[in-house]
Amino acid sequence: MQKLKIRGGKPLRGSVRISGAKNAALPILCAAILSAETLTLKNVPQLNDIGTMLKLLKQMGISAHREGETVVLNAANLTNPAAPYELVKTMRASILALGPLLARFGKARVSLPGGCAIGARPVDLHIKGLEAMGATITIEGGDIHASVFKLKGAHIFMDIVTVTGTENLMMAATLADGTTVLENAAREPEVVDLAECLIKMGANISGHGSDVITVKGVASLHKAEYAVMPDRIETGTFLAAVTAIGGDVRVTNAAPRTLDVVIEKLREAGAVITSTDDEIHIVSNTRPKAVNLRTAPYPAFPTDMQAQFIALNTIAEGTAIVTETIFENRFMHVQELVRLGAKIDIEGNTAIVKGAQKLTGATVMATDLRASACLVIAGLVAEGETIIDRIYHLDRGYDHIEKKLVALGVDIERID
Ligand code: EPZ
């Protein structure tokens, strides 16, 4: 099992180039299923979840090959409309194959994703929406069995804002007969990025980025080339790190406009942040101030940045109240931070973080993707040496993070 060893205490200096967004690339890779022509994707991040998704698509019979950050896919010879358990259990985003498979082939067998560390994460709204579009769906032997002669446009109201639920139904609707309206749709930038890619492939979509998305079905989608948006959570993670430990960093190939509320909170914590269209410059040379936050769907504060901000608050001046409203078990990182000397109490879905003067290095364990990022930030701040175990969680969602941190002057290495 690989670990990361970090010797903390040094401000970050230099520049870091942000990779493509994992949570945009994953649905966009599944969009290739919808067409018999080639989809060429640029700025695809090199991280394990993308590797898993490519494996999943290839075992369906899709040709997919990658050269650096470019991936070329072609689903003309898709023969096996299925997503097996052994792949789905390692990556729940495999559920994103369900809508496209039904739309293009009228049938799909996708393993029902189990829960994960941060919550039960049901997919009932994905299934309800596809049934509203005429699909017959049963759950047998742990698999979702879905079939339909031809999906029909429907008016669907999702009673919970779901990112991949919106993405699954939007993809399914592109080839359905008639018009689909998705109400209470997710507004995340990754949903918009997927819609823009589908439009380039010939889909007829409007309203993406708002909570009502309208899709007029078309007969088929065609070849396209598309560049995935920059990863706003990777960006936020580096910005939170600089705010926590101090430094002067230039963040390139970024999309500042997708991070408004996060940048606002970091300024409240004391960071000096300026940005252009695709670059962010952050300077921080004082102890951060505690910042309160409450996670909620975009454009509110993203749940994927909650753990990183708890790490920031552990050494901030003052006490912070952090409320998690999206997932029922997304405070697994708190107990690990307490091992480093953090002072945090949890009351239901709220963490009360009392700023400590310092953290002291120790061995800690990553429990999920963003918790791992939080422990990296804590390791940068802690005095002495911090060892982070089970960093396979980190590798799922960050593209060569330790290489990027070494380039910023961090004393960090991967050990077996
Ligand atoms: C996406 O997960 C992201 N993953 C998550 O990022 C992110 O945390 C989450 O959206 C929220 O922003 C990808 O995009 C691949 P949801 P998703 O459906 O779509 C409930 C990361 O770290 N719900 O928006 O699975 C659900 O239980 C990952 O990169 C239902 O009840 O999240 C949750 O409480 C972690 N029924 C809430 O909705 C459903 O059918 C939001 O979940 C679907 C969801």
Side-chain angles (χ1 to χ4, degrees):
M1 189 95 66
Q2 292 196 330
K3 304 172 194 267
L4 279 181
K5 182 163 75 169
I6 305 174
R7 296 198 64 77
K10 278 172 61 183
L12 306 185
R13 292 200 191 298
S15 76
V16 58
R17 181 183 174 281
I18 296 301
S19 302
K22 166 178 85 82
N23 290 350
L26 290 171
I28 287 173
L29 285 167
C30 289
I33 296 170
L34 292 164
S35 160
E37 298 183 17
T38 299
L39 177 61
T40 304
L41 299 176
K42 308 258 184 213
N43 202 36
V44 179
Q46 292 168 285
L47 42 88
N48 292 355
D49 269 9
I50 299 296
T52 305
M53 184 59 87
L54 290 175
K55 229 188 281 175
L56 179 73
L57 296 175
K58 283 182 188 161
Q59 62 83 42
M60 290 180 194
I62 293 175
S63 83
H65 66 273
R66 111 168 283 164
E67 290 131 30
E69 294 182 336
T70 298
V71 172
V72 181
L73 303 122
N74 183 297
N77 305 319
L78 194 155
T79 49
N80 169 33
Y85 180 63
E86 60 272 9
L87 286 171
V88 175
K89 74 180 176 191
T90 65
M91 188 188 60
R92 336 169 20 75
S94 312
I95 189 72
L96 286 162
L98 180 60
L101 287 173
L102 263 184
R104 174 108 183 278
F105 299 98
K107 70 183 165 89
R109 182 167 56 76
V110 174
S111 171
L112 188 65
C116 82
I118 62 178
R121 303 186 71 185
V123 290
D124 55 309
L125 299 176
H126 299 236
I127 290 170
K128 217 170 112 199
L130 292 169
E131 286 172 335
M133 296 170 80
T136 304
I137 297 186
T138 58
I139 311 263
E140 273 149 48
D143 285 343
I144 300 168
H145 295 263
S147 64
V148 67
F149 175 66
K150 180 110 174 103
L151 288 173
K152 302 184 303 309
H155 195 128
I156 300 167
F157 185 88
M158 291 181 279
D159 50 15
I160 296 180
V161 174
T162 160
V163 173
T164 49
T166 301
E167 291 166 343
N168 229 338
L169 298 178
M170 183 166 71
M171 286 193 279
T174 57
L175 299 179
D177 257 346
T179 298
T180 297
V181 176
L182 300 179
E183 298 249 17
N184 199 26
R187 300 166 55 186
E188 270 68 6
E190 292 77 19
V191 175
V192 173
D193 213 35
L194 170 64
E196 288 302 326
C197 177
L198 292 167
I199 289 167
K200 272 201 122 173
M201 294 169 72
N204 183 331
I205 301 174
S206 59
H208 42 297
S210 83
D211 60 354
V212 180
I213 297 176
T214 302
V215 185
K216 288 193 176 62
V218 294
S220 65
L221 296 185
H222 51 68
K223 77 179 168 64
E225 186 164 311
Y226 192 75
V228 172
M229 67 176 273
D231 194 312
R232 65 191 168 103
I233 305 301
E234 183 191 21
T235 307
T237 302
F238 279 103
L239 295 176
V242 177
T243 308
I245 184 60
D248 181 335
V249 170
R250 197 165 291 287
V251 181
T252 62
N253 190 37
R257 279 186 313 281
T258 61
L259 273 163
D260 287 345
V261 70
V262 171
I263 289 175
E264 216 23 65
K265 282 288 168 190
L266 292 170
R267 287 188 173 125
E268 201 184 306
V272 177
I273 298 174
T274 51
S275 61
T276 62
D277 227 16
D278 62 356
E279 230 180 76
I280 299 171
H281 181 212
I282 178 168
V283 177
S284 166
N285 43 34
T286 54
R287 181 183 179 193
K289 294 183 197 62
V291 281
N292 298 331
L293 59 96
R294 178 184 178 79
T295 67
Y298 194 87
F301 192 91
T303 173
D304 290 351
M305 284 298 306
Q306 175 256 106
Q308 298 90 316
F309 267 71
I310 289 211
L312 168 60
N313 277 317
T314 58
I315 43 84
E317 206 178 305
T319 297
I321 310 290
V322 175
T323 303
E324 170 59 57
T325 72
I326 304 287
F327 291 113
E328 64 270 28
N329 188 33
R330 203 170 197 175
F331 284 136
M332 309 263 280
H333 39 285
V334 165
Q335 284 322 315
E336 298 304 310
L337 291 168
V338 168
R339 286 179 50 74
L340 301 174
K343 299 187 182 64
I344 310 174
D345 293 309
I346 293 183
E347 283 165 26
N349 68 346
T350 297
I352 296 127
V353 189
K354 273 195 206 59
Q357 284 298 336
K358 67 180 173 88
L359 297 182
T360 309
T363 298
V364 288
M365 187 177 75
T367 50
D368 58 85
L369 169 55
R370 304 306 172 181
S372 342
C374 143
L375 295 175
V376 170
I377 294 175
L380 296 177
V381 167
E383 287 179 1
E385 191 172 90
T386 298
I387 306 274
I388 305 174
D389 203 349
R390 302 193 180 182
I391 54 163
Y392 59 85
H393 290 292
L394 191 67
D395 295 335
R396 291 190 48 181
Y398 285 91
D399 184 342
H400 297 99
I401 191 166
E402 78 258 28
K403 254 169 74 183
K404 293 181 177 179
L405 287 169
V406 166
L408 293 174
V410 174
D411 179 351
I412 181 172
E413 62 175 310
R414 187 176 285 250
I415 49 178
D416 264 324

